[in-house]
Amino acid sequence: MNKIAVLLTCHNRKEKTLSCLKFLCAAQRHKNNQLEMIIYLTDDGSTDGTQEAVKEVYPDINILIGDGNLYWAGGMNNSWKEALKSDYDGFLWLNDDSYMNEDYFVKLLKADKYCKEKFMSGGIYIGSTCDSSEKKLTYGGLVYTNRFLNTTKRLIPNETYQLAQLGNGNITFVSKDVVKKNGVFHKGFTHGADFDYIFYTYNKKMPVLVMPGFAGVCDNDHIDKYNQFVKLSISERLKFLYSPLGFQFSGSLLFQKRFFPYRVPFVFVGGMIKVFWPNLYLKINKIRKK
């Protein structure tokens, strides 16, 4: 592996975006790393000067412009499709709030070598992230514990390569072998496309690995959407259920239709219970996950 494309999207997080790029470039320079990387960043309608700030500090980055309605999956797909116009050995998904460790690319090359020797093909290599304070796992790979109930468990990174079924795209590498078969994200997603793509790859019997150790830092600073949700009116809850910035219900239904069509009626009913009887939904969800 000699040349990769790094894919990012951003919206009004200038300082985080700049910090992410700083850690990325530091990792690329680590130990005279010979891996060449080309960065593709979709600025999805930022109004905080992100585009101008990035251009000033990193003039070689390919900056693409969105209209503010791409969200994560659309923005990443926009970067990905542009990168596909050139030839790369793989594509690195990188969230702009994720700060990779200095040795990431050293570990990435080892993961690619291991995967190709063991499985005779490149795969997806999920980099786990931890929070900045307690160094606890925040994002990474998962496996199903019960597919009917849609329950999963996160894979705690250790010193080995672990097989995963699902995963977050915070710091995740997709080899060209996978992209040749699977293409880019499904166009129906605004968020959650990483879970869909990784599970689709797993179902195609291609290797999906959690890399040893942590790949970087990403704090889980998402607000508790449910506490906000229960305070809304029914009409507001229904709107929030489908909103890309809310529960993204359309994406949840699409994922079920693609992989677990028998679950679609249950998921739909669960969504309606969530809207009309949110506290009942919370009780049911707690019982389901025990």
Side-chain angles (χ1 to χ4, degrees):
M1 183 162 60
N2 300 308
K3 185 179 179 182
I4 68 169
V6 182
L7 313 177
L8 301 99
T9 187
C10 65
H11 177 75
N12 285 342
R13 300 200 295 191
K14 179 172 66 175
E15 295 307 321
K16 285 188 175 183
T17 303
L18 290 171
S19 293
C20 173
L21 292 171
K22 178 181 178 181
F23 279 90
L24 169 64
C25 292
Q28 199 275 334
R29 294 190 299 266
H30 180 62
K31 290 188 176 180
N32 297 315
N33 176 40
Q34 298 300 309
L35 185 63
E36 181 184 358
M37 69 177 191
I38 309 297
I39 303 170
Y40 295 83
L41 169 66
T42 293
D43 183 350
D44 190 25
S46 294
T47 57
D48 65 348
T50 299
Q51 179 189 161
E52 294 78 11
V54 170
K55 280 183 177 179
E56 181 178 351
V57 182
Y58 305 100
D60 295 331
I61 289 180
N62 297 285
I63 299 180
L64 312 168
I65 306 301
D67 61 3
N69 295 302
L70 293 176
Y71 298 100
W72 186 80
M76 292 294 283
N77 256 354
N78 191 57
S79 296
W80 205 343
K81 290 175 181 178
E82 183 66 23
L84 282 171
K85 295 177 182 179
S86 300
D87 185 32
Y88 293 103
D89 296 312
F91 305 85
L92 175 63
W93 305 340
L94 181 61
N95 277 15
D96 71 339
D97 61 352
S98 300
Y99 311 137
M100 65 171 51
N101 292 338
E102 196 175 40
D103 62 351
Y104 171 76
F105 288 112
V106 174
K107 291 183 175 180
L108 175 62
L109 291 170
K110 289 180 180 179
D112 190 58
K113 183 175 183 292
Y114 169 86
C115 188
K116 289 175 178 175
E117 288 177 351
K118 185 172 180 62
F119 300 99
M120 307 303 293
S121 169
I124 293 180
Y125 319 135
I126 301 170
S128 305
T129 63
C130 62
D131 63 64
S132 57
S133 56
E134 299 181 6
K135 307 302 180 186
K136 292 184 178 180
L137 176 67
T138 50
Y139 301 100
L142 306 91
V143 292
Y144 276 107
T145 54
N146 188 313
R147 294 193 182 191
F148 184 78
L149 295 177
N150 198 34
T151 53
T152 60
K153 72 171 183 178
R154 291 197 173 274
L155 296 172
I156 308 298
N158 52 35
E159 299 306 312
T160 65
Y161 294 97
Q162 301 179 74
L163 292 172
Q165 298 171 329
L166 303 160
N168 302 113
N170 296 62
I171 307 177
T172 292
F173 182 81
V174 184
S175 74
K176 67 177 181 181
D177 294 335
V178 173
V179 179
K180 283 180 180 178
K181 290 188 176 182
N182 297 352
V184 299
F185 289 141
H186 189 290
K187 63 181 180 180
F189 290 93
T190 53
H191 293 284
D194 46 358
F195 263 50
D196 176 270
Y197 193 92
I198 291 172
F199 193 59
Y200 183 80
T201 301
Y202 166 80
N203 279 343
K204 290 292 184 179
K205 310 300 182 184
M206 299 195 75
V208 178
L209 305 176
V210 173
M211 294 169 61
F214 285 110
V217 172
C218 183
D219 288 314
N220 185 353
D221 58 359
H222 295 113
I223 62 171
D224 187 339
K225 292 180 179 179
Y226 202 84
N227 283 339
Q228 174 188 354
F229 181 76
V230 296
K231 298 174 184 178
L232 302 175
S233 67
I234 290 178
S235 61
E236 289 173 330
R237 288 202 292 266
L238 187 62
K239 183 177 180 181
F240 194 85
L241 180 73
Y242 284 94
S243 169
L245 301 179
F247 289 127
Q248 312 152 39
F249 194 48
S250 295
S252 298
L253 289 174
L254 176 58
F255 181 85
Q256 301 304 325
K257 288 177 183 177
R258 279 167 56 76
F259 303 111
F260 308 108
Y262 60 87
R263 294 198 70 247
V264 171
F266 299 99
V267 173
F268 182 80
V269 170
M272 294 305 103
I273 293 174
K274 185 183 289 188
V275 170
F276 293 99
W277 302 282
N279 291 318
L280 174 61
Y281 175 85
L282 187 59
K283 291 179 181 178
I284 294 173
N285 205 40
K286 285 182 178 179
I287 294 172
R288 180 177 67 89
K289 291 186 176 181
K290 283 185 178 180

